[in-house]
Amino acid sequence: MPQTQHASRHEVQFVTVHGHRRAYVKVGSGPVLLLLHGLGCDHTTWEPVIDRLAERYTVLAPDLLGHGQSAKPRADYSLGGYANGMRDLLTVLGIDKVTVVGHSFGGGVAMQFSYQFPERTERLLLVSSGGLGPEVSPVIRAITTPGYHHAMGVLTMPGVRHVGKAGLHLLRATGSRHTRDLAEVAAIYETFTDPNARHAIRHVVRAVVDWRGQIVTMADRAYLTDAMPMAVVWGRDDHVIPVLHAANVAALAPKARVEVFEDAGHFPHKDHPERFARSVDEFVRGTRPATYSRAKWRALLRGGLDAAPPPTLTSVETA
């Protein structure tokens, strides 16, 4: 059975798209929230908030290709490929429009989806998202190195893996804000025992990160958010993607809502699930869904071509 982060409390359903199995959870009723998890995670990262959100919304939480219980083929793991996959999954499930919520790498997918398919995107909510600045954890950058796959093969051998996971949990138990996310790191570490998962993760990371950091940015297309409600949520103690990137949103998308959770790390939706669900609800209920207009989109694109260069994103080192 494919590895999952944690046992799911909800029924996992499956559908085959382009010959590859896609796993997803779908609960609730009402406007649709598409929840996209981060690198090495799966739909269970959203478990603490699914039931709360399902009280008002239809919650669709898929396992992205190469993750969780979805297939892990040799395939296109680019942001564009993932956005296409989400469009096709929605089409198969008979869903026309969504508010897309993306965490970490899933935030990059969410941004790409909203850019490629504005006619199907009502709102965009980013959670500790990639694409808002260059910095990223050295652990993520290490995945791009040539020796990653072989090194991880050794580190996931039974004895080594058990010692490593125990060490991560012991560090997490110290209660330090610097180690708060290590339980999630340990769960991701466990999924790397599957060589197909390791291959998929490597392809994913190489599409968006190099040894210097993140190479994908929304800076050159941020002006398009004028046509779509956008919100950003971050944890103050995020040591994977620094909270300083949330400040870039003011320059990139001045109309966006920005909320920083105190006493939270890279997974604010897990550290403070009730507050997160409330923030999502307030964002959705407090904004009108975007209505796609080809004429407006054309005007934005034409204006963007003649506009000044995009603002420089804040860097941790120079802030």
Side-chain angles (χ1 to χ4, degrees), residues 9-297:
R9 297 200 303 264
H10 300 90
E11 178 188 1
V12 179
Q13 302 181 61
F14 301 93
V15 64
T16 298
V17 181
H18 306 311
H20 303 309
R21 185 173 79 161
R22 309 282 184 140
Y24 66 94
V25 162
K26 182 172 177 284
V27 294
S29 60
V32 181
L33 302 177
L34 174 63
L35 308 184
L36 303 179
H37 62 76
L39 184 72
C41 297
D42 59 29
H43 75 273
T44 60
T45 192
W46 301 110
E47 286 282 7
V49 299
I50 287 178
D51 287 338
R52 292 175 173 86
L53 294 174
E55 293 174 4
R56 291 182 180 273
Y57 306 100
T58 297
V59 177
L60 176 62
D63 288 351
L64 295 174
L65 198 69
H67 296 72
Q69 297 184 58
S70 287
K72 301 171 180 64
R74 186 171 183 272
D76 179 6
Y77 289 110
S78 66
L79 288 175
Y82 275 118
N84 290 339
M86 289 302 98
R87 174 204 57 193
D88 295 341
L89 176 64
L90 294 175
T91 300
V92 169
L93 298 180
I95 297 172
D96 292 327
K97 296 184 178 182
V98 298
T99 291
V100 59
V101 181
H103 171 244
S104 196
F105 173 74
V109 178
M111 285 187 278
Q112 187 68 26
F113 179 88
S114 66
Y115 169 65
Q116 289 182 203
F117 310 112
E119 73 281 3
R120 305 191 71 161
T121 310
E122 295 185 330
R123 301 171 190 82
L124 175 65
L125 195 158
L126 306 176
V127 185
S128 302
S129 177
L132 295 170
E135 292 80 18
V136 69
S137 166
V139 175
I140 302 298
R141 295 201 302 269
I143 294 175
T144 67
T145 61
Y148 151 79
H149 187 73
H150 296 296
M152 193 55 64
V154 173
L155 292 174
T156 53
M157 293 176 65
V160 178
R161 183 176 80 254
H162 294 151
V163 171
K165 287 181 61 181
L168 290 171
H169 283 294
L170 282 173
L171 288 171
R172 174 65 183 91
T174 64
S176 168
R177 63 188 180 88
H178 298 288
T179 62
R180 68 164 63 249
D181 292 327
L182 291 187
E184 290 299 327
V185 173
I188 294 170
Y189 183 13
E190 181 67 28
T191 69
F192 283 10
T193 58
D194 180 353
N196 292 324
R198 294 201 300 270
H199 278 295
I201 295 299
R202 181 174 62 178
H203 286 298
V204 170
V205 174
R206 285 182 172 179
V208 295
V209 171
D210 64 14
W211 65 274
R212 295 166 59 188
Q214 297 185 65
I215 57 178
V216 175
T217 175
M218 71 171 288
D220 59 346
R221 286 171 281 183
Y223 64 90
L224 295 174
T225 59
D226 278 349
M228 184 178 300
M230 176 180 169
V232 175
V233 172
W234 224 285
R236 177 73 68 187
D237 301 326
D238 191 336
H239 294 286
V240 178
I241 304 176
V243 65
L244 195 64
H245 290 189
N248 290 325
V249 178
L252 294 172
K255 296 180 181 179
R257 302 182 179 195
V258 180
E259 188 171 5
V260 176
F261 287 13
E262 301 296 333
D263 192 30
H266 188 57
F267 300 83
H269 54 292
K270 302 191 77 170
D271 291 331
H272 299 287
E274 291 186 5
R275 180 179 176 185
F276 181 83
R278 186 168 62 251
S279 295
V280 173
D281 185 48
E282 290 174 352
F283 171 56
V284 174
R285 289 159 62 87
T287 56
R288 292 185 177 183
T291 301
Y292 177 69
S293 163
R294 183 175 296 178
K296 184 174 183 179
W297 200 254

